[in-house]
Amino acid sequence: MDFTEDQLHRYARHIVLAEIGGVGQAKLMQSRVLVVGAGGLGAPLLLYLAAAGVGTIGIVDDDVVDLSNLQRQVIHATGRIGQPKVESAQRAIADVNPEVALVPYHQRLDAANAMSLIAEYDVIADGSDNFETRFLLADACHLAGKTLVSAAILRFEGQLSTFKSHLGDEYPCYRCLYRAAPPPGLIPSCSEGGVLGALAGVMGSLQTTEVLKELLGIGDGLAGSLLIYDALDTNFRKIHLKRDAGCPLCGEAPAITDLSAHIATPAADPLADKEEAGGGL
């Protein structure tokens, strides 16, 4: 594709990278990413995806901006308290890069809309705030053959991984790592346990990097690995993940072949709460 003078100037630092270049930047501009959650993780995700020139960005979130969000959700502003987060994010993204097409979905991801929402996007980024949504989205992405980049934060710890189990036996899915959601109340939410605001920026930025790598097809991704960051100790650990032959989603005899169980028990995981889903991806 031919770049305008403004585009050449805007994306110059990408284009001079041998791993990206003009071809890679054009690919980003033609890509589509769906971000689930416009909160602590979604805020840096959305801003950096827009800055990178990702052509179409969808945002799914049914919440409104609250004063307590502003300690970490840097895409929102005091003057937009009470507004739907998708509208607040849309305004911020337009200021960063007006060429990006932003598609807001002011609704909660559920079993009825999940497959249709993810169908139009190349990569899905999970910045959701509860285990119900995380398991639903992970199941939907595997069944639909979509790559999922998922992050989570709580207190001073963050976790990040990429799941593309639809590509074959060498890739584990989310349920290979976490078979089922924990019982309600076992893992505190960020509102209960707290979270360092800057941690959302660190993990959301790392998550964006992995999304961009998946779109560009460069570098070593996190599929088959779990990255754990301890902010207090300034320590990163990378754990190898294996596919579980007994996994109910991607194993040899999968029990989950559609999203019907999420409809039957909407408040629970089909095999077995709210703020950046602390404690697990």
Side-chain angles (χ1 to χ4, degrees), residues 181-204:
L186 181 63
I187 305 295
S189 67
C190 286
S191 60
E192 297 167 333
V195 64
L196 181 69
L199 178 64
V202 172
M203 297 308 300

Side-chain angles (χ1 to χ4, degrees), residues 71-72 153-157 190-191 193-200 275-276:
Q71 167 253 13
R72 65 205 173 283
I153 56 175
L154 180 65
R155 298 190 180 100
F156 297 93
E157 183 178 288
C190 286
S191 60
V195 64
L196 181 69
L199 178 64
E275 264 287 353
E276 278 90 42

Side-chain angles (χ1 to χ4, degrees), residues 75-252:
I75 201 168
H76 307 303
T78 302
R80 298 199 290 273
I81 289 173
Q83 291 185 11
K85 287 185 178 180
V86 293
E87 294 180 9
S88 173
Q90 189 172 27
R91 289 180 58 183
I93 287 172
D95 286 339
V96 171
N97 191 347
E99 294 186 350
V100 170
L102 196 286
V103 185
Y105 303 96
H106 187 213
Q107 57 189 280
R108 188 175 184 84
L109 188 83
D110 58 31
N113 63 27
M115 296 301 279
S116 61
L117 284 174
I118 69 176
E120 301 301 317
Y121 293 89
D122 304 313
V123 173
I124 315 301
D126 183 8
S128 62
D129 58 11
N130 61 86
F131 284 108
E132 174 193 344
T133 301
R134 289 185 178 280
F135 278 90
L136 168 63
L137 186 59
D139 291 351
C141 285
H142 172 79
L143 296 171
K146 298 290 184 177
T147 296
L148 172 66
V149 182
S150 183
I153 56 175
L154 180 65
R155 298 190 180 100
F156 297 93
E157 183 178 288
Q159 299 181 8
L160 175 64
S161 189
T162 296
F163 300 98
K164 43 186 178 181
S165 48
H166 58 282
L167 294 182
D169 292 344
E170 63 182 298
Y171 297 109
C173 75
Y174 183 84
R175 287 186 184 271
C176 294
L177 177 61
Y178 299 113
R179 178 65 62 92
L186 181 63
I187 305 295
S189 67
C190 286
S191 60
E192 297 167 333
V195 64
L196 181 69
L199 178 64
V202 172
M203 297 308 300
S205 297
L206 287 170
Q207 189 176 10
T208 311
T209 301
E210 295 307 311
V211 170
L212 295 176
K213 286 163 58 181
E214 292 294 331
L215 293 173
L216 292 166
I218 62 173
D220 293 326
L222 281 175
S225 298
L226 174 66
L227 183 70
I228 301 173
Y229 172 56
D230 184 333
L232 282 180
D233 291 338
T234 318
N235 179 45
F236 283 92
R237 290 183 292 143
K238 194 174 181 180
I239 300 173
H240 179 65
L241 304 177
K242 293 183 178 180
R243 190 155 183 164
D244 180 1
C247 175
L249 181 63
C250 72
E252 296 176 354

